[in-house]
């Protein structure tokens, strides 16, 4: 705004002066005889310039002021110039006027005081300024329009990403030919619904319930159409069982959001922003989608006096009862919306889960109207009106004689309908069906027996009658048999299929000619909706027809009865036949690492048509519901051995991996219950399950990596690996991979900070985890899918537990608050406040009525969950209370006062104190039989309630954070800071297994309800699931026992092997100048020297020497140029010099006051430079062992230091975002290189010393001229670079993220072409070639550090593994040899429009 005011002020002065000059010129123009043309030119240019200035001022005062990017600087630059020129001109003109006025008595005319040439120059200058300002202003206006268009385009792009359920909207062509209420039917009910929708005080939900066939969907379509005509419809979603996206709630919220953005444009920006801020919103649960995409945009919208309605039809046909109840709870939240009011119209059958769902809602949230309780006489009047109007149309179209039908016939039809509109609609369709005679069709209906009192009897007879007439008719018995067989095959499939599809896809699925399918269905238009457009799916008009065909008691003509079991197994075989034709890279994708999000839906639809998708999604369901034979079991085995990966690829492409996981788990359960199943098949299914669970992340995002990454890193003994692995010609990988699947089943990633606690729900279907990211996350234990994020705490969440019935979750946080959450809706239903310090632990009582919380305020509080009030306060501990557990009526608490106290919850008094512990108790738990209390502590004991020691479990090298008994009490699990979970046998006291794999301390551990799984959490941000059945501890981590921070190449570029021996993280590795020795440093406080056997490409493994002396972690090590000394830097604040031959310390360099992070020798070996967290660089004399310079100037920790090639300069990199240059002779700063916006991690000189390269956390490498101290080039990187080295020829910079190739040698002060990364490149998750994804790296193999040489890569990971990868460029797919594409080109290559980037 200030800038805009400046523009206005600048313009006002110029405009005012120009006006004065113009006025004076006008005086001259009237009296001056000469120079008329010059004056007119001047006045015209002044006027034109004033108009331009005025226009800019108007823009500057308006809403687009901030977009005057081009006009503003030019206006400011010329304003002073024009102001000076106008003042000079005004002064001359006014002075001449005064002089001439004195001479006026002579009667002379005025003289123009300026020369012609001077005027021409000034006019030309004004014209030039006017033209330039006009162009700048036009540019700003065009830019403003473009920005507006870009914002609109970005919004459209974001909104277009919303998954939209095909067929959900009432206007979709799927419902085009469905009935609406006739004008004179349902009049009172429709008016009641419209009145409700208009009333701002009405309940937020209108529930229209009714039994099948009462016309609910017809009313929904009518209501939606009427609301849309009044611009009051927000969205509509018509559920339909067995019809793809509209059979479940997966796309409900996103579909409503998309329609809402269309209905109310003011919401587009906020919905678009929600999508961009929550990139995984489409994978999140319904409650998160509802909050971010619907509730928040409506809540934050500008005030509007408007009430919109969402129409939800057939909610009972949503395939998940849990989702239905959650949906109702989410809809109820609309009652609190104020700015834009939202109402929801819902129809459903009155099924028990839905009734219970509505009863859970607060009073006043909904009103209910029950269709089948409308008096029968009113319903019959509406049905009579329906028959009269519809049959009158038939009579008119067929030119039938009057009267037809008569009133008596109408009433007979009404009686047969028995209050069911579905009967009336089906009867009408049957009568008017072409090419039959309507009068004959009606007579067939009237001949039905209607004596039955059953509501469905009349409908059954009608269905049977029309089938006998439409399918068989008067054909001969031989033809009848064939027609009935076709009917059962085709219509039977439609009836039991899990999704709908067009006739062509149906024929492909059943492997029959399309014309046979079309011909069979053509005569069934009264019960099947068969669109004229063959690309539209065939569907039942009403599910009652399905119920009729599947029930032999209702379909009494068994020729038409559908045997569901037999039909299911036949469809299973058809599905398997289609799957057997799948192949690798089914969509012909050119890149091995292409992400599924970058592949157009049209491409997927082209290569994976609906019948293939159906086969891959539903084959197991048909197998499960059929009567399989041995040949079907053999078919499954062939599928697993030949097409498992092809199937997974398709599931990845159609976004169905979660369902695939559930299918394999279900298959394992099915086969385990069948006698005579080949054990090898069971093992194969188990291995497939482990394979998919282990690789779920990459299968989800990059389909072709199924054939590369998943197999490369799979255990060698895996049956899937053995069956499918084939060596790719473009890669050679050397890494120690475990032989068998470890106990780790699945890793759940999603938290953004350390995970502190984890717990199973009572039924074992969910896992809840807490984190330092202030959230609780719910996970599906079978598929690993995130089910919800519970947000509300303002600090770390430390503990979480389910209520006994699993309906609630309670959480404890460092914000001092206990929260109760509804697991279905994800809403906080109670906030329990009272503790004055952080809350460590929380637990439900066995009856679920109380919650106990333990806090650092040394108080235990019992809370009544119904009232949310404190029930009891238990005070007696003298230190922090860490853990709490119920034991029936008593409660046990563990405290830092080294006691465990038992309390009776009724009187609130202590009933026992277990003393004698020598260390604080971190966690306490009762055994299932309540005879033991186990607590986690530094003395690792289990004690009985009497206080006597029961057992001591040892083996930890760090403190124990959590302890838990298995459900049967036979095992006990401890979570430790040594990054392990250990299992112990409670009877023998012996170790049962060690579960390893975490890269940080393990905070919490819990058994699943059946005791088969263990879930544990860690500060490495993951939750891991482990298998406990085998009792074996399959090793996941091999080599080092902790993080590897650095790896390097030999001088000749060869990679030799793995160095083992350190007992802590390896921080640095470096080769001696002659390449015969390797020095490594570690957190175990030692430096190890390793001997390399000359002439062999293997590492001897022989320790040449162990250098001991440091008292803390050793961070860095370096050889002297002559290879005789080693210098090491440590967190003990010292640098130590070591003699390589003797292995003894030959000097301790002391002086730093904080950790020393980096050390380096000068080129002549006479000096050592060290970088420290005391913000200094120190120079040391290696002969005198004394400091010879303290280089001060950095204002934060110094990370790295390096000498120039001639030793005259030192460059240092710091957390203060700068690089500093120092003169080694003078010991003074000679330059500060500023420009980085984040910490500078590493710095390196060019071979000639004329350039310095610096790498920073701002993801750039900057090249600096050491003489002028200016930036020569800025290279942007994908990741943060921490290590750099310049090649001897100056053509490359070697980094831990890739090799930066420079287009010209690093010489002089000029680089004519920008630098870029070479072909091989590493990000956190991907190995790339020419910036294209090539190989995905699993969590345990992702680089913590890496080094590369051409196409050779070495990576050290946090898991302790060292991985060696060599790429053969010539063997790569052709696209990898092409230059890197822009995002737009890349997306277009996969058929995705560029506006979706």
């Amino acid at each position: 705004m200030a800038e805009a005011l400046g523009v206005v002020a600048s313009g006002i002065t110029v405009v005012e002066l120009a006006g004065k000059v113009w006025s004076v010129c006008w005086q001259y123009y009237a009296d001056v005889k000469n120079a008329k043309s010059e004056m007119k030119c001047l006045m015209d240019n002044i006027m034109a310039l004033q108009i331009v200035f005025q226009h800019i001022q108007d823009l500057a005062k308006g809403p687009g002021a901030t977009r005057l990017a081009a006009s503003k600087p030019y206006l400011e630059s010329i304003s002073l110039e024009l102001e000076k020129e106008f003042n000079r001109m005004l002064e001359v003109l006014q002075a001449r006027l005064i002089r001439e006025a004195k001479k006026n008595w002579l009667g002379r005319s005025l003289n123009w005081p300026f020369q012609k040439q001077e005027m021409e120059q000034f006019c030309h200058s004004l014209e030039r300024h006017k033209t330039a300002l006009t162009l700048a202003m036009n540019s700003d206006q065009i830019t403003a329009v473009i920005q507006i268009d870009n914002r609109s385009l970005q919004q459209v792009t974001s909104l277009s990403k919303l998954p939209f359920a095909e067929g959900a909207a009432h206007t979709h062509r799927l419902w085009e030919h469905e009935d609406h209420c006739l004008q004179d039917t349902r009049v009172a009910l429709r008016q009641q619904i419209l009145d409700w929708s208009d009333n701002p005080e009405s309940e937020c939900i209108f529930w229209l319930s009714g039994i099948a066939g009462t016309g609910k969907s017809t009313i929904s379509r009518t209501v939606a159409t009427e609301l849309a005509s009044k611009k009051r419809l927000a969205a509509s979603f018509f559920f339909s069982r067995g019809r793809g996206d509209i059979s479940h709630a997966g796309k409900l919220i996103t579909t409503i959001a998309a329609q809402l953005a269309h209905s109310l444009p003011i919401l587009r920006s906020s919905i678009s922003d929600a999508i961009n801020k929550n990139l995984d919103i489409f994978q999140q649960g319904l409650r998160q989608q509802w909050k971010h995409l619907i509730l928040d945009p409506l809540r934050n919208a500008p005030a509007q006096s408007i009430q919109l309605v969402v129409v939800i039809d057939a909610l009972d046909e949503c395939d998940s009862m849990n989702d239905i109840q959650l949906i109702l709870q989410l809809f109820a939240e609309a009652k609190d919306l104020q700015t834009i009011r939202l109402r929801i119209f819902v129809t459903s059958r009155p099924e028990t889960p839905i009734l219970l769902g509505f009863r859970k809602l607060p009073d006043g949230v909904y009103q209910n109207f029950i269709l089948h309780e409308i008096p029968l006489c009113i319903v019959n009047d509406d049905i009579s009106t329906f028959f009269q109007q519809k049959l009158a149309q038939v009579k008119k179209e067929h030119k039938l004689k009057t009267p037809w039908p008569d009133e008596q016939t109408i009433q007979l039809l009404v009686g047969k309908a028995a209050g069911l509109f579905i009967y009336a609609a089906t009867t009408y369709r049957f009568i008017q069906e072409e090419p039959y005679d309507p009068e004959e069709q009606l007579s067939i209906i009237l001949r039905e027996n209607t004596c039955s009192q059953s509501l469905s009897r009349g409908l059954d007879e009608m269905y049977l009658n029309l089938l006998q007439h439409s399918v068989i008719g008067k054909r001969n018995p031989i033809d009848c048999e064939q027609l009935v067989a076709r009917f059962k095959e085709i219509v039977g499939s439609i009836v039991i299929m899990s999704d709908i599809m067009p006739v062509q896809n149906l024929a492909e699925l059943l492997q029959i000619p399309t014309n046979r399918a079309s011909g069979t269905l053509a005569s069934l238009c009264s019960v099947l909706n068969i669109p004229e457009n063959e690309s539209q799916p065939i569907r039942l008009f009403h599910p009652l027809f399905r119920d009729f065909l599947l029930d032999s008691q209702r379909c009494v003509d068994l020729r038409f009865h559908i045997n569901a079991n037999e039909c299911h197994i036949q469809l299973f075989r058809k599905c398997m036949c289609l799957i057997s034709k799948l192949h690798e890279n089914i969509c012909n994708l050119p890149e091995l690492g292409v992400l599924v999000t970058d592949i157009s839906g049209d491409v997927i639809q082209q290569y994976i048509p609906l019948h293939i998708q159906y086969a891959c999604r539903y084959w197991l369901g048909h197998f499960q519901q059929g009567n399989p034979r041995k040949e079907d079991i053999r078919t499954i085995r062939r599928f697993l051995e030949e097409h498992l990966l092809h199937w997974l690829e398709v599931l990845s492409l159609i976004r169905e991996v979660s369902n695939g996981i559930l299918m394999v788990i279900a298959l394992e359960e099915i086969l385990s219950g069948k006698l005579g199943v080949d054990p090898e098949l069971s093992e194969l299914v188990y291995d497939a399950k482990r394979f998919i669970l282990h690789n779920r992340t990459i299968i989800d995002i990059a389909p072709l990596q199924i054939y590369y990454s998943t197999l490369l890193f799979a255990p060698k003994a895996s049956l899937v690996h053995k069956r499918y692995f084939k060596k790719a010609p473009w890669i050679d990988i050397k890494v120690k991979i475990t032989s068998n699947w470890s106990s780790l089943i699945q890793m759940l990633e999603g938290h953004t900070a350390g995970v502190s606690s984890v717990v199973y729900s009572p039924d074992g279907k969910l896992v809840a985890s807490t984190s330092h990211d202030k959230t609780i996350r719910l996970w599906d234990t079978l598929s690993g899918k995130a089910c919800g994020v519970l947000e509300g705490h303002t600090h770390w969440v430390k503990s979480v537990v389910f209520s006994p019935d699993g309906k609630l979750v309670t959480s404890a946080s460092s914000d001092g608050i206990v929260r109760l959450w509804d697991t279905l809706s994800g809403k906080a239903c109670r906030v329990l406040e009272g503790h004055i310090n952080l809350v460590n632990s929380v637990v439900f009582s066995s009856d679920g009525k109380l919650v106990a919380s333990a806090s650092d305020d040394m108080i235990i509080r019992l809370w009544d969950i119904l009232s949310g009030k404190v029930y009891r306060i238990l005070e007696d501990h003298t230190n922090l209370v860490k853990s709490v557990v119920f034991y029936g009526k008593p409660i046990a608490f563990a405290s830092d006062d080294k006691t465990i106290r038992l309390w009776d919850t009724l009187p609130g008094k202590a009933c026992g104190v277990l003393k004698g512990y020598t260390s604080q108790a971190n966690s306490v738990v009762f055994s299932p039989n309540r005879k033991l209390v186990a607590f986690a502590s530094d003395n690792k004991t289990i004690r009985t309630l009497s206080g006597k020691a029961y057992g001591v479990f040892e083996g930890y090298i760090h403190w124990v954070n959590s302890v838990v008994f298995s459900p049967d009490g036979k095992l006990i699990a401890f979570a430790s800071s040594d990054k392990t979970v250990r299992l112990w046998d409670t009877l023998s006291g012996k170790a049962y297994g060690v579960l390893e794999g975490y890269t940080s301390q393990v905070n919490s551990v819990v058994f699943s309800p059946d005791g088969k799984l263990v879930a544990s959490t860690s500060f490495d941000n993951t939750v891991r699931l482990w298998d406990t059945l085998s009792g074996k501890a399959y090793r996941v981590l091999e080599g080092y026992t902790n993080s590897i921070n650095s790896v390097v190449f030999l001088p000749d570029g060869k990679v030799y092997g793995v160095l083992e021996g350190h007992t802590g993280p390896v921080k640095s590795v470096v080769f001696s100048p002659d390449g015969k020795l390797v020095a490594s440093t570690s957190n175990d406080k030692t430096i190890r020297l390793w001997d390399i056997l000359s002439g062999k490409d293997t590492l001897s493994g022989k320790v040449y020497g162990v250098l001991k002396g440091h008292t803390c972690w050793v961070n860095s090590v370096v050889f002297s140029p002559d290879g005789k000394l080693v210098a090491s830097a440590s967190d003990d604040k010292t640098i130590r010099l070591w003699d390589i031959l003797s292995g003894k310390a030959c000097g301790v360099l002391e002086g730093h006051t904080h950790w020393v992070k980096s050390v380096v020798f000068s080129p002549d070996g006479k000096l050592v430079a060290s970088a420290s967290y005391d913000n200094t660089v120190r120079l040391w004399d290696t002969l005198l062992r004394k400091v010879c310079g303290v280089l001060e100037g950095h204002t934060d920790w110094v990370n790295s230091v390096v000498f120039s090639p001639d030793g005259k300069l030192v460059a240092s990199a710091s957390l203060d975002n700068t690089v500093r240059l120092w003169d080694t002779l003078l010991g003074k700063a000679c330059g500060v290189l500023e420009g980085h916006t984040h910490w500078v991690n590493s710095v390196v000189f060019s071979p000639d010393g004329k350039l310095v390269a610096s790498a920073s956390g701002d993801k750039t490498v900057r090249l600096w001229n050491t003489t002028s101290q200016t930036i020569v080039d800025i290279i942007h990187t994908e990741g943060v670079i921490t290590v750099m080295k310049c090649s001897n020829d100056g053509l490359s910079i070697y980094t831990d993220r890739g090799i930066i190739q420079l287009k010209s040698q690093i010489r002089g002060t000029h680089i004519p072409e920008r630098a870029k990364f070479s072909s091989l490149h590493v990000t956190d998750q991907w190995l790339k070639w020419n910036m294209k994804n090539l190989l995905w790296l699993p969590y345990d193999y992702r680089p913590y550090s890496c080094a590369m040489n051409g196409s050779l890569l070495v990576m050290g990971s946090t898991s302790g593994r060292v991985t060696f990868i060599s790429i053969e460029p010539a063997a790569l797919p052709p696209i990898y040899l092409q230059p890197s594409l822009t995002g737009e080109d890349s997306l277009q290559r996969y058929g995705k429009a560029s506006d979706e980037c």
Side-chain angles (χ1 to χ4, degrees), residues 205-217 220 239 241 312-318 321 324 328 345-356 358 368-372:
I205 301 177
F206 190 113
W207 178 30
L208 180 68
S209 64
I211 61 174
T214 50
K216 300 180 296 298
S217 294
S220 291
F239 281 101
R241 185 174 289 113
I312 306 294
D313 183 60
L315 183 59
D316 55 287
E317 297 200 26
C318 175
M321 290 297 107
I324 289 174
L328 293 176
F345 178 76
V346 178
T347 72
S348 76
R349 297 183 189 184
E351 295 179 353
T352 301
I354 297 181
L355 284 168
L356 294 175
F358 273 105
N368 184 17
F369 190 97
I370 303 173
L371 266 179
H372 52 272

Side-chain angles (χ1 to χ4, degrees), residues 1200-1202 1213 1219 1236 1240-1245 1252-1256 1260-1264 1275 1277 1280-1287 1292-1298 1300 1317 1346:
S1200 176
V1201 62
V1202 64
V1219 175
H1236 283 295
V1240 187
N1241 301 312
S1242 182
V1243 63
V1244 64
F1245 278 95
V1252 162
S1254 56
S1256 167
T1260 68
V1261 172
R1262 294 174 184 248
L1263 301 180
W1264 311 80
I1275 304 158
T1277 64
V1280 176
I1281 289 174
T1282 58
V1283 178
M1284 290 196 304
K1285 179 184 177 182
C1286 191
S1287 64
S1292 306
I1293 298 176
Y1294 297 91
T1295 80
D1296 56 347
R1297 291 290 179 185
I1300 301 176
F1317 270 94
C1346 60

Side-chain angles (χ1 to χ4, degrees), residues 654-818:
I654 65 175
R655 316 290 183 87
E656 290 287 343
V657 175
S658 292
N659 285 338
I661 293 172
L662 297 178
M663 289 168 70
V664 174
I665 292 173
L667 177 62
E668 185 181 31
E669 294 177 355
I670 294 169
L671 296 180
S672 66
K674 292 187 178 296
L675 297 176
V677 173
D678 186 351
E680 291 183 2
L681 175 58
S682 298
E683 291 176 8
L684 183 56
V685 174
Y686 171 78
D687 193 76
K689 180 188 74 172
R690 295 299 305 271
F691 179 84
I692 300 171
L693 287 172
H694 185 76
N695 295 293
R696 186 252 168 83
T697 300
I698 185 56
I699 296 173
D700 252 338
I701 64 175
L704 296 189
Q705 287 298 301
I706 295 167
Y707 306 101
Y708 299 98
S709 176
T710 62
L711 295 173
L712 275 171
F713 298 104
K716 300 304 181 184
S718 161
L719 299 179
V720 175
H721 174 85
K722 289 180 176 180
R723 184 72 190 178
Y724 288 98
F725 180 75
K726 54 183 179 182
K727 190 177 186 307
W730 49 267
I731 188 169
D732 184 18
I733 182 167
K734 296 180 181 179
V735 62
K736 284 190 175 181
I737 297 176
T738 182
S739 297
N740 300 289
W741 292 112
S742 72
S743 298
L744 176 63
I745 294 177
Q746 197 169 5
M747 187 183 304
L748 310 178
E749 297 183 78
H751 283 295
T752 57
V755 185
S756 51
S757 176
V758 65
V759 65
Y760 276 94
S761 62
D763 60 7
K765 293 181 179 179
L766 292 179
V767 161
S769 57
T770 67
S771 169
H772 287 186
D773 65 8
K774 308 174 189 177
T775 69
I776 302 101
R777 289 180 180 255
L778 303 178
W779 312 82
D780 184 291
T781 54
L782 288 180
S783 68
K785 183 180 180 180
C787 301
V789 182
L790 312 182
E791 298 176 293
H793 283 295
T794 59
H795 209 281
W796 299 344
V797 189
K798 305 193 72 177
S799 176
V800 64
V801 66
F802 283 91
S803 61
D805 60 6
K807 295 181 179 179
L808 295 177
V809 161
T810 183
S811 56
S813 169
S814 293
D815 61 12
I817 293 175
V818 175

Side-chain angles (χ1 to χ4, degrees), residues 327-449:
I327 289 166
L328 293 176
Q329 292 192 30
L330 296 178
F331 285 164
E333 296 177 3
K335 67 181 174 59
D336 299 323
L337 292 172
Q338 300 296 329
T339 55
I340 297 177
R341 297 181 300 278
L342 192 67
R343 298 291 182 262
I344 296 93
F345 178 76
V346 178
T347 72
S348 76
R349 297 183 189 184
E351 295 179 353
T352 301
I354 297 181
L355 284 168
L356 294 175
F358 273 105
R359 288 172 184 170
K360 289 180 181 179
L361 300 183
D363 293 338
V365 170
Y366 75 98
Q367 64 170 284
N368 184 17
F369 190 97
I370 303 173
L371 266 179
H372 52 272
E373 291 184 359
I374 297 177
L376 186 60
C377 61
I378 296 177
V379 178
N380 283 345
D381 284 345
D382 285 340
I383 293 176
S384 176
T385 300
F386 173 84
F387 276 128
Q388 287 170 359
Q389 294 190 18
K390 289 293 186 181
L391 295 184
Q393 294 176 12
V394 174
K395 180 176 68 174
K396 183 178 180 180
E397 290 170 0
H398 289 78
K399 299 179 181 180
L400 301 178
K401 296 180 181 180
T402 303
W404 184 91
D406 56 25
E407 183 60 28
Q408 183 180 1
T409 301
I410 293 289
Q411 293 309 312
L412 282 174
L413 292 173
V414 170
K416 286 177 174 291
L420 293 179
F421 268 88
I422 181 62
Y423 182 96
T426 305
T427 298
Y428 160 68
R429 285 193 294 269
F430 180 74
I431 291 172
Q432 61 90 41
E433 187 175 349
E434 297 288 351
Y436 303 107
D437 176 41
E439 292 179 302
E440 177 62 24
Q441 297 286 87
L442 177 59
S443 66
I444 293 173
I445 295 292
L446 295 176
R447 286 199 298 269
E448 294 174 0
N449 178 15

